[in-house]
Amino acid sequence: MPQSPTVAFIGLGIMGLPMAANLVSAGFTVRGYDRAPQQTDRFAGKGGTAASSLAEAVDGAGVVITMVPDSPDVDEAMFATGGVFDSAASGTLVIDMSTIRPDTARTVAEEGRIRGLRVLDAPVSGGETGAVEGVLSIMVGGDSADFHAAADVFAPLGTAVPVGPAGAGQTVKAANQLIVAGNIQLVAEALVFLEAHGVDTEAGLRVLNGGLAGSTVLTRKGEAMRHRRFEPGFRIGLHDKDMGIVTAAAREAGVPVPTGALVAQFIGALKAQGHGGLDHSALLALLDRIATEQK
Amino acid sequence: MPQSPTVAFIGLGIMGLPMAANLVSAGFTVRGYDRAPQQTDRFAGKGGTAASSLAEAVDGAGVVITMVPDSPDVDEAMFATGGVFDSAASGTLVIDMSTIRPDTARTVAEEGRIRGLRVLDAPVSGGETGAVEGVLSIMVGGDSADFHAAADVFAPLGTAVPVGPAGAGQTVKAANQLIVAGNIQLVAEALVFLEAHGVDTEAGLRVLNGGLAGSTVLTRKGEAMRHRRFEPGFRIGLHDKDMGIVTAAAREAGVPVPTGALVAQFIGALKAQGHGGLDHSALLALLDRIATEQK
């Protein structure tokens, strides 16, 4: 990789803005673009270079990073007229860090390859806090040589791990969302069960977390769940999108994820009922409602 | 508690034998009894005192510990002619460390109280290794004064935490088994999903365990599951019993545990198919079978 290539950063939202800012702090020249002009302006306020269009951001950049909400947004960023594939020079490293469908990631990689681009899918976990602090967990799919070429760009953002060919990063992220949703649901079930039996749930969750039932969900969310504090965190609306990805990708691959499918229905119901803005631990609120007889 | 009371230890199986031996090592006089004479003999070989009947073990003991397979075994040990309630003097501390139904534990506590006994339910987690090393996690239900009176007896066995009134220990243990079964099932679902997509599962599970999807199940069982090593560990047959306990206790308390109920069906199916002797991580084998088309 040439030293400190210019990085085009597309998508300066809750995650993208602090990530792009961390690249600026690490010494990269970063041209940022967001469909919402005020986000591009905020990035300029953090020392970034504001681009007035996606094409302007990408033109001449050695690395293009996209961090947008969903698969259609990635499709648009890549394939639209004036999009990444129109504007990036051959050999450019294109890193999509959005959380999208693995099959979309594979299509983007293949179409990019045809155009002489080097494409990685590199979704992250760790949330806004991880983005701000530069400690994201980055799951990377694509060619090994391209992964190594991207190492300097990943370093200010967090810890990157290569997990397989194109799409593999998105597959691991999908598996992550499956396990997280399920673990939250299980803690919720355990909690209503303990409460119904008059157990001291503070001591109960503590002793559970010390044994084979221990989990990062229990550590990070157990106390907030006990007190029914559901401020996000990670929103039901986004987790609903991700459960759609993992259940569809599992069906298409011929593997069953029955527990994931069950929890996907609960998350979908919460979203459809207007609770998409709550933290995903609000799965407990749905269970509370089933458990408590309405008078 | 009088200093170093004589302890009667009923049930010298995979868990009970090393627990009783640890009490001997800690300086207690321990009279052991098991329905299988060879187990009582093995205990004598470890420095314990062999009793030829349950009544002989209990007679004059200050503390009685029961560690038997299931609710009916506890019922029999407590209520049969020549059982604990027939043989224990008023004021004796009776600690049931078996994993049984919370309602059975409450009945035992109430009936014991009527007879002037002090009863605790104190199921454990940590498995055979935890029993041998004296590092069990002990979830204790019952009166606070009785919990404190039992502290010296618990100390050589592991860490005891009071979690509520009679039955609360069993309730927390039931919740433990619910979460553990669910977490195993979720790791299994994630694993077949990752494999079907050609992901490097060693790197994949590692990166998953570093984020919000992290769990003790992933840490302790992830690698064995990747390699389909299902030697117990904790047997499907016992976990099936425990899933029966938690789903029944949830129904009776009016709370739903839908994910637990789903996984209980899978564990039950494995047991009914003759796989009760495998480790509970063999939930993955069932999923493999669904995922792989039979030719």
Side-chain angles (χ1 to χ4, degrees):
Chain A
M1 192 167 71
Q3 286 195 315
S4 293
T6 295
V7 177
F9 206 110
I10 313 304
L12 301 165
I14 290 174
M15 297 294 289
L17 183 61
M19 291 165 69
N22 281 336
L23 288 170
V24 171
S25 300
F28 289 95
T29 299
V30 184
R31 291 203 296 257
Y33 174 73
D34 194 284
R35 288 177 297 195
Q38 73 275 17
Q39 289 303 106
T40 310
D41 290 347
R42 289 183 63 192
F43 179 56
K46 291 175 182 291
T49 304
S52 60
S53 69
L54 190 152
E56 182 184 313
V58 171
D59 183 44
V63 176
V64 177
I65 295 175
T66 49
M67 189 62 172
V68 297
D70 202 351
S71 304
D73 308 292
V74 172
D75 270 342
E76 189 190 331
M78 299 296 175
F79 296 111
T81 304
V84 174
F85 287 1
D86 260 5
S87 312
S90 181
T92 301
L93 200 51
V94 176
I95 309 172
D96 178 39
M97 304 189 77
S98 320
T99 293
I100 63 168
R101 297 171 53 97
D103 59 345
T104 301
R106 285 189 290 270
T107 302
V108 167
E110 177 60 18
E111 294 291 326
R113 199 189 57 76
I114 290 168
R115 289 162 176 80
L117 305 174
R118 301 178 292 160
V119 180
L120 296 171
D121 54 293
V124 304
S125 77
E128 185 180 1
T129 305
V132 169
E133 296 176 359
V135 295
L136 292 167
S137 180
I138 308 170
M139 302 151 242
V140 189
D143 287 353
S144 178
D146 298 340
F147 173 79
H148 290 291
D152 291 349
V153 176
F154 286 139
L157 306 177
T159 303
V161 178
V163 291
Q170 296 297 348
T171 303
V172 174
K173 178 64 190 284
N176 185 78
Q177 300 303 79
L178 165 72
I179 292 178
V180 167
N183 283 7
I184 290 172
Q185 174 68 22
L186 285 159
V187 169
E189 292 183 13
L191 199 49
V192 295
F193 177 78
L194 294 175
E195 289 172 343
H197 286 86
V199 167
D200 173 350
T201 54
E202 191 281 322
L205 293 192
R206 185 158 36 85
V207 70
L208 287 173
N209 205 20
L212 189 51
S215 68
T216 309
V217 163
L218 206 39
T219 301
R220 292 201 197 155
K221 295 186 176 286
E223 273 302 291
M225 288 173 74
R226 276 202 332 118
H227 293 99
R228 271 64 176 176
R229 293 194 306 259
F230 301 133
E231 305 84 17
F234 188 75
R235 289 182 169 75
I236 285 284
L238 282 169
H239 213 142
D240 178 62
K241 177 203 72 165
D242 296 346
M243 294 310 283
I245 289 173
V246 70
T247 52
R251 278 201 307 278
E252 289 158 15
V255 294
V257 291
T259 310
L262 176 66
V263 180
Q265 293 301 118
F266 294 145
I267 292 182
L270 274 170
K271 186 192 174 199
Q273 292 168 7
H275 303 298
L278 295 181
D279 187 68
H280 45 178
S281 59
L283 277 164
L284 174 59
L286 195 61
L287 216 51
D288 277 337
R289 239 190 299 147
I290 308 174
T292 306
E293 198 177 350
Q294 303 298 312
K295 303 293 178 185
Chain B
M1 193 167 68
Q3 286 196 315
S4 293
T6 295
V7 176
F9 206 108
I10 312 304
L12 301 165
I14 290 175
M15 297 294 290
L17 183 61
M19 291 165 69
N22 282 335
L23 288 170
V24 171
S25 300
F28 288 95
T29 300
V30 184
R31 291 203 297 257
Y33 173 74
D34 194 283
R35 287 176 298 195
Q38 73 274 18
Q39 289 302 108
T40 309
D41 291 346
R42 289 183 65 190
F43 179 55
K46 290 175 183 291
T49 305
S52 60
S53 69
L54 190 153
E56 182 184 314
V58 171
D59 183 43
V63 176
V64 177
I65 295 175
T66 49
M67 189 61 172
V68 296
D70 202 352
S71 305
D73 308 292
V74 171
D75 270 340
E76 188 189 332
M78 298 297 175
F79 296 111
T81 304
V84 174
F85 286 1
D86 261 5
S87 313
S90 182
T92 301
L93 199 52
V94 176
I95 309 171
D96 178 40
M97 304 189 75
S98 321
T99 293
I100 63 167
R101 297 171 52 97
D103 60 345
T104 301
R106 284 190 290 270
T107 302
V108 167
E110 177 59 19
E111 294 290 326
R113 199 188 58 75
I114 289 169
R115 289 162 175 81
L117 304 174
R118 301 178 292 160
V119 180
L120 296 171
D121 54 294
V124 304
S125 78
E128 185 180 359
T129 305
V132 169
E133 296 176 0
V135 294
L136 293 167
S137 180
I138 308 170
M139 301 151 243
V140 189
D143 286 353
S144 179
D146 298 340
F147 173 81
H148 289 291
D152 291 349
V153 176
F154 286 140
L157 305 178
T159 303
V161 178
V163 291
Q170 296 296 350
T171 304
V172 174
K173 179 65 189 286
N176 184 77
Q177 299 305 78
L178 165 72
I179 292 178
V180 167
N183 283 8
I184 290 173
Q185 173 69 20
L186 286 159
V187 169
E189 292 184 14
L191 199 48
V192 295
F193 177 78
L194 294 174
E195 289 172 342
H197 286 87
V199 166
D200 173 349
T201 54
E202 191 281 322
L205 293 192
R206 184 158 35 85
V207 69
L208 287 173
N209 204 19
L212 189 52
S215 67
T216 310
V217 163
L218 206 39
T219 301
R220 293 201 196 154
K221 294 186 178 285
E223 273 303 291
M225 288 173 74
R226 276 202 331 117
H227 293 100
R228 270 65 177 176
R229 293 195 306 259
F230 301 134
E231 304 84 18
F234 188 75
R235 290 182 168 77
I236 286 284
L238 282 169
H239 213 141
D240 178 63
K241 177 203 73 166
D242 296 345
M243 294 310 283
I245 289 173
V246 69
T247 51
R251 278 201 308 278
E252 288 158 16
V255 293
V257 291
T259 310
L262 177 65
V263 180
Q265 292 301 117
F266 294 145
I267 293 182
L270 274 170
K271 187 194 173 199
Q273 292 167 6
H275 303 298
L278 296 181
D279 187 69
H280 45 178
S281 60
L283 276 165
L284 175 59
L286 195 61
L287 216 51
D288 278 338
R289 241 191 298 149
I290 309 175
T292 306
E293 196 176 351
Q294 303 299 312
K295 304 293 181 187

